[in-house]
Amino acid sequence: MTVDTPGSQSALREANQRRVIHAVRSAGALTQAEIARTTGLSAATVSNIVRELRSVGTFLVTPTSSGGRRAQSVSLARATGLIVGVEIGVARLRALLCSHDHEVLAEECIPYDAAPSLERSLRRTEWLVSTLLRQARVDRSSVRGIGVGLPGPIDTGTGAIAPPARLAAWQGTPIAVELADRLELPVHVDNDVNAAALGELVWGAGRGVSELVYLNLSAGVGAALVLGGDIYTGAAGFAGEIGHLTVDEQGRICRCGNRGCLETVVGGASLVELLPPARSGVVPSLTTLIEDARAGDLGSRRVVADAGRAVGAAVAMLCNVLNPRRVIIGGELADAGDLLLNPVREALDRQTMPSSAALVEVIPAELGERAAALGAVALVERRLARAAGAVPHWHG
Ligand SMILES: [Zn+2]
């Protein structure tokens, strides 16, 4: 007698999926009735599996006729299909079209204020993707899927943005489902920091490494953890929220509701507030702070160096726990280069166990503003491969 636990149910479902994929792959194309006969599964089970694998882009379902009757022919989607990577940022939208061999065929980026209306942002994203495909003269049927990086933690259970989202109006909405309905293509979402880390892992500063920490230092502060060659999401998708480690119990109240989080110390807004008022009366931006630091302004350099030290202390805790080989620093603050990275390295050296510290290197990200959109492409590839039952083989 089998014990009816959720674990055994999902193991059974996966085993059935593999049988169906194997049958279709062996035959090239089958009707659902033929799949049921070949696999011995019930028609209802086959129908469910085909619907599921179609929605994630593994199967193509096209009309055919069988014995004079209309039927649906099921085949594997071409592995050579195109993938669209999208980043919905707080202040910009970016979309790029990628071939199966990772050539970027077309790219669009527009400044856009995503905060006022979720509905308008979704419409704008739909428009941007459609424009991209039209300009590249690509038919939707040759697109295997769309990956989207979003500015907020994604609940892997619901697919919705969870608090504390930088776009409060987006909280609770299952963005992947909304966009898939509009674009009539499979859509996969993750938070933008995880997407950027995946981008660096596949295309950038993380190539060839299977254990790494990626940091995004901009207006917000986030991290992504790569363990065993893949993003570690945690139980529900919220791993890596380094910006909300408490570093000063008496510090400022954070947008998450706690007090003295790392983000209240090294987030972009907190850094520029440290500067003396400009003679022009204009509040400096993070961009001008970094430019001034690079140009030699001592006050700006001190702000960047102290931020590096605070970040290094927080990352040292992660290094002691996770023993990564590489720490990759991305986000706008990384433009400060060694003015930021050297204090991070010094703090890491001081506060990490010597055997771990000797192993880890701290390097800048390589992909700049495109990291999350490129990573969103890799996200789709990985989800499709997993849905098709492929054995993970991400690194090396
Ligand atoms: Zn916080």
Side-chain angles (χ1 to χ4, degrees):
M1 198 182 97
T2 55
V3 182
D4 193 17
T5 63
S8 69
Q9 287 281 0
S10 80
L12 180 64
R13 203 174 64 224
E14 274 175 34
N16 287 344
Q17 277 189 356
R18 278 198 298 274
R19 280 163 75 182
V20 171
I21 290 166
H22 180 74
V24 171
R25 184 181 284 136
S26 307
L30 292 173
T31 65
Q32 295 201 20
E34 287 167 339
I35 294 173
R37 270 201 299 280
T38 312
T39 58
L41 296 170
S42 74
T45 303
V46 169
S47 168
N48 279 338
I49 290 173
V50 167
R51 199 171 60 230
E52 216 170 291
L53 293 179
R54 182 192 195 180
S55 77
V56 297
T58 307
F59 279 164
L60 284 179
V61 178
T62 47
T64 183
S65 65
S66 170
R69 293 212 325 236
R70 284 192 306 169
Q72 304 263 296
S73 165
V74 181
S75 58
L76 280 175
R78 285 176 301 152
T80 53
L82 305 169
I83 293 176
V84 177
V86 177
E87 184 199 6
I88 302 180
V90 174
R92 66 169 188 234
L93 286 175
R94 180 186 299 272
L96 47 83
L97 178 69
C98 226
S99 69
H100 72 282
D101 52 2
H102 287 182
E103 189 188 345
V104 176
L105 304 172
E107 185 168 1
E108 287 287 340
C109 182
I110 55 170
Y112 186 72
D113 182 2
S117 160
L118 169 64
E119 171 58 29
R120 270 177 47 202
S121 299
L122 291 173
R123 272 211 306 270
R124 199 74 179 144
T125 306
E126 180 191 352
W127 171 85
L128 189 67
V129 172
S130 301
T131 304
L132 185 77
L133 296 180
R134 200 169 52 246
Q135 284 174 354
R137 298 180 197 288
V138 163
D139 186 75
R140 260 161 223 253
S141 64
S142 49
V143 176
R144 297 172 71 207
I146 297 176
V148 183
L150 293 165
I154 306 294
D155 185 325
T156 48
T158 62
I161 295 190
R166 292 174 56 72
L167 301 174
W170 292 50
Q171 259 166 228
T173 306
I175 308 287
V177 176
E178 289 282 339
L179 281 174
D181 283 349
R182 288 158 196 258
L183 289 160
E184 295 176 327
L185 283 166
V187 174
H188 303 267
V189 301
D190 203 342
N191 82 59
D192 50 1
V193 180
N194 280 354
L198 202 47
E200 294 290 344
L201 182 68
V202 174
W203 275 278
R207 271 170 305 180
V209 173
S210 55
E211 325 293 329
L212 66 84
V213 171
Y214 172 84
L215 285 179
N216 180 65
L217 305 176
S218 300
V221 174
L225 314 174
V226 172
L227 303 176
D230 209 359
I231 299 288
Y232 176 73
T233 60
F238 308 139
E241 291 294 335
I242 193 177
H244 302 283
L245 288 182
T246 305
V247 296
D248 178 4
E249 275 194 39
Q250 301 306 314
R252 300 167 64 168
I253 299 294
C254 179
R255 65 190 170 92
C256 74
N258 286 340
R259 192 161 186 187
C261 295
L262 181 64
E263 190 173 289
T264 66
V265 177
V266 303
S270 303
L271 294 184
V272 296
E273 273 180 18
L274 293 170
L275 294 168
R279 249 173 271 153
S280 61
V282 178
V283 179
S285 65
L286 186 56
T287 311
T288 55
L289 165 69
I290 295 162
E291 279 168 6
D292 290 351
R294 291 177 71 111
D297 176 64
L298 292 179
S300 303
R301 286 192 168 203
R302 178 62 191 258
V303 171
V304 170
D306 286 353
R309 214 161 288 138
V311 167
V315 175
M317 293 189 244
L318 284 184
C319 288
N320 280 333
V321 176
L322 300 173
N323 183 210
R325 187 169 290 279
R326 219 168 265 177
V327 173
I328 298 172
I329 312 242
E332 195 178 352
L333 193 58
D335 291 345
D338 282 341
L339 295 174
L340 174 80
L341 264 54
N342 282 338
V344 174
R345 291 176 181 125
E346 283 157 21
L348 263 187
D349 266 345
R350 231 180 9 247
Q351 297 178 44
T352 309
M353 220 170 57
S355 45
S356 268
L359 188 78
V360 70
E361 50 175 348
V362 179
I363 60 171
E366 288 179 7
L367 302 178
E369 292 189 343
R370 302 169 86 198
L374 286 169
V377 171
L379 173 74
V380 176
E381 288 175 338
R382 287 174 174 224
R383 298 249 174 110
L384 292 181
R386 217 170 273 142
V391 179
H393 179 64
W394 313 130
H395 43 93

